[in-house]
């Protein structure tokens, strides 16, 4: 039924365009006869030549159109819709909000109209001149802290009386990175690794980013955890994404919190598993989903 309607619509569209082309051809013949009776033969012949070429294209296009109407009306319908859409794009009016520009005299310069200038001035006077940055709330007389020394989680501030304060902004709260206990300190080992391997592997593990230090550390981790093997990731996000995609696959069921951590959500998507979400931290909703799933599995 749908195909029949589409073919009928295409056929009707082709007939209508065929009639339009016939009218264009008749109008050209009348115009050619009028031009032939004018006194300016040179001008008439020039115009007649242009119109003759144009009419030949129209006639050829009409023949092609009629053949297409007979052989493939669906193709004809699609092409007609595209043609109308192009015409619409050419002649449509700009309805976007904003100020329209008008050409200033001759050239490529553009200028606002007087009405648009008045609107802009009224808006500027109404809102005023907003500051580029919010006013500072800090007191100029406030004492500025300048760090002079770092000892683990302890900072030594510069001044007449050197003050020792606890740094709550560091991840090295145990001070391991600043332990100066000989060659076995983290500092010394970091310097040695930097001298040996340079600043990072500059490549992914699967390509050319694996070095012997990675493999030794993975072996040590596997031995400590009493597992067959271990794998290192450069950050927690990539570890979370890869772990979910490694253990879940198409056909598995994952029931996850709707506000799950974004890398975990990426891993869930990559796994292609069936996913059901429960409301954030809503254990009652989670219980209902589990019960419903148990009932479905028992059938």
């Amino acid at each position: 039924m749908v195909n029949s309607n589409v073919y009928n619509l295409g056929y009707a569209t082709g007939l209508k365009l065929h009639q339009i082309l016939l009218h264009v051809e008749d109008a050209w013949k009348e115009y050619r006869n009028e031009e032939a009776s004018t006194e300016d033969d040179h001008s008439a012949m020039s115009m007649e030549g242009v119109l003759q070429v144009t009419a030949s294209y129209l006639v050829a296009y009409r023949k092609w159109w009629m053949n297409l109407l007979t052989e493939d009306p669906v193709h004809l319908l699609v092409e007609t819709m595209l043609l109308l859409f192009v015409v619409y794009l050419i002649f449509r009016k700009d309805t976007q909000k904003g100020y329209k520009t008008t050409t200033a005299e001759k050239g490529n310069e553009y200028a606002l109209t007087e009405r648009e200038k008045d609107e802009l001035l009224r808006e500027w006077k109404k809102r005023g001149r907003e500051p580029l940055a919010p006013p500072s709330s800090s007191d100029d007389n406030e004492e500025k802290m300048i760090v002079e020394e770092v000892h683990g989680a302890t900072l030594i501030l510069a001044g007449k009386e050197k003050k020792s304060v606890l740094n709550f902004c560091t991840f090295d709260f145990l001070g391991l990175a600043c332990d100066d206990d000989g060659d076995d300190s983290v500092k010394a080992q970091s310097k040695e690794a930097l001298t040996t391997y340079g600043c990072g592997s500059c490549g992914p593990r699967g390509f050319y980013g694996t070095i012997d230090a990675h493999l030794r550390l993975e072996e040590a981790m596997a031995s400590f955890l009493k597992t067959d093997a271990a794998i290192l990731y450069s950050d927690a996000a990539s570890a979370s994404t890869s772990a979910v995609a490694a253990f879940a696959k198409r056909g598995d069921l994952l029931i996850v919190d709707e506000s799950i951590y974004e890398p975990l959500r990426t891993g869930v998507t990559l796994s292609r598993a069936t996913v059901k979400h429960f409301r954030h931290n809503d254990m009652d909703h989670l219980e209902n989903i589990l019960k419903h799933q148990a009932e479905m599995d028992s059938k």
Side-chain angles (χ1 to χ4, degrees):
M1 183 66 181
V2 176
N3 291 335
S4 177
N5 292 335
V6 172
Y7 272 77
N8 292 337
L9 182 58
Y11 186 79
T13 305
L15 287 178
K16 189 64 176 177
L17 291 175
H18 175 63
Q19 294 175 2
I20 294 175
L21 293 176
L22 288 178
H23 287 305
V24 171
E25 184 179 4
D26 294 338
W28 171 78
K29 291 180 179 179
E30 293 179 1
Y31 182 79
R32 185 181 60 178
N33 295 333
E34 294 177 357
E35 287 292 327
S37 60
T38 57
E39 296 179 357
D40 192 355
D41 294 338
H42 178 73
S43 176
M45 289 298 295
S46 176
M47 181 61 67
E48 182 180 355
V50 173
L51 291 177
Q52 186 175 3
V53 173
T54 305
S56 64
Y57 280 111
L58 291 176
V59 172
Y61 189 71
R62 186 189 69 186
K63 293 180 180 178
W64 173 83
W65 199 277
M66 292 304 299
N67 292 332
L68 186 62
L69 175 63
T70 305
E71 297 175 358
D72 193 354
V74 177
H75 184 174
L76 182 63
L77 175 62
V78 174
E79 183 170 338
T80 303
M81 294 177 64
L82 290 176
L83 181 62
L84 294 176
F85 181 69
V86 171
V87 174
Y88 165 75
L89 291 179
I90 295 175
F91 294 100
R92 75 185 182 97
K93 294 182 179 180
D94 189 5
T95 57
Q96 296 180 352
K97 295 181 179 180
Y99 296 104
K100 297 181 179 179
T101 56
T102 55
T103 54
E105 298 178 355
K106 295 181 179 179
N108 296 326
E109 297 182 357
Y110 291 86
L112 296 174
T113 63
E114 293 298 328
R115 181 184 63 82
E116 292 170 344
K117 291 179 182 179
D118 294 338
E119 290 181 1
L120 288 174
L121 288 174
R122 282 197 300 269
E123 184 179 358
W124 183 82
K125 291 179 181 179
K126 181 179 179 181
R127 295 187 178 182
R129 195 171 195 179
E130 298 180 359
L132 297 178
S136 177
S137 59
S138 61
D139 188 0
D140 295 337
N141 298 325
E142 182 181 355
E143 183 181 358
K144 296 181 179 180
M145 293 187 299
I146 301 177
V147 179
E148 193 173 78
E149 298 178 17
V150 179
H151 299 285
T154 304
L155 303 178
I156 305 299
L157 302 182
K160 295 180 180 179
E161 297 181 1
K162 293 186 178 181
K163 186 187 298 184
S164 178
V165 296
L166 188 63
N167 184 11
F168 287 96
C169 301
T170 180
F171 286 103
D172 186 27
F173 49 87
L174 296 178
L176 298 177
C178 296
D179 185 12
D180 297 326
D181 188 16
D183 294 337
D184 293 334
S185 66
V186 176
K187 270 182 161 183
Q189 294 294 325
S190 299
K191 291 180 181 178
E192 182 180 352
L194 186 62
T195 303
T196 304
Y197 300 106
C199 185
S201 60
C202 300
R205 287 288 305 274
F207 190 24
Y208 60 89
T210 298
I211 58 178
D212 55 354
H214 292 144
L215 300 178
R216 290 199 301 268
L217 179 56
E218 289 176 345
E219 292 176 358
M221 291 176 60
S223 176
F224 178 77
L225 297 173
K226 295 180 173 55
T227 60
D228 295 336
I231 184 172
L232 292 175
Y233 286 92
S234 59
D235 54 77
S238 57
S240 302
T241 301
S242 299
V244 176
F247 287 99
K249 61 183 183 302
R250 189 185 300 273
D252 294 338
L253 173 64
L254 298 178
I255 302 176
V256 300
D257 193 305
E258 65 180 5
S259 299
I260 196 173
Y261 179 44
E262 183 59 32
L264 288 176
R265 186 184 299 277
T266 303
V268 169
T269 303
L270 293 176
S271 69
R272 298 295 190 269
T274 302
V275 184
K276 292 185 178 181
H277 296 89
F278 62 90
R279 290 186 291 271
H280 181 52
N281 289 339
D282 191 341
M283 296 298 101
D284 294 334
H285 190 206
L286 173 60
E287 183 179 3
N288 293 334
I289 293 178
L290 292 173
K291 288 181 179 179
H292 182 263
Q293 185 62 38
E295 294 175 357
M296 293 180 60
D297 294 340
S298 62
K299 294 180 181 180

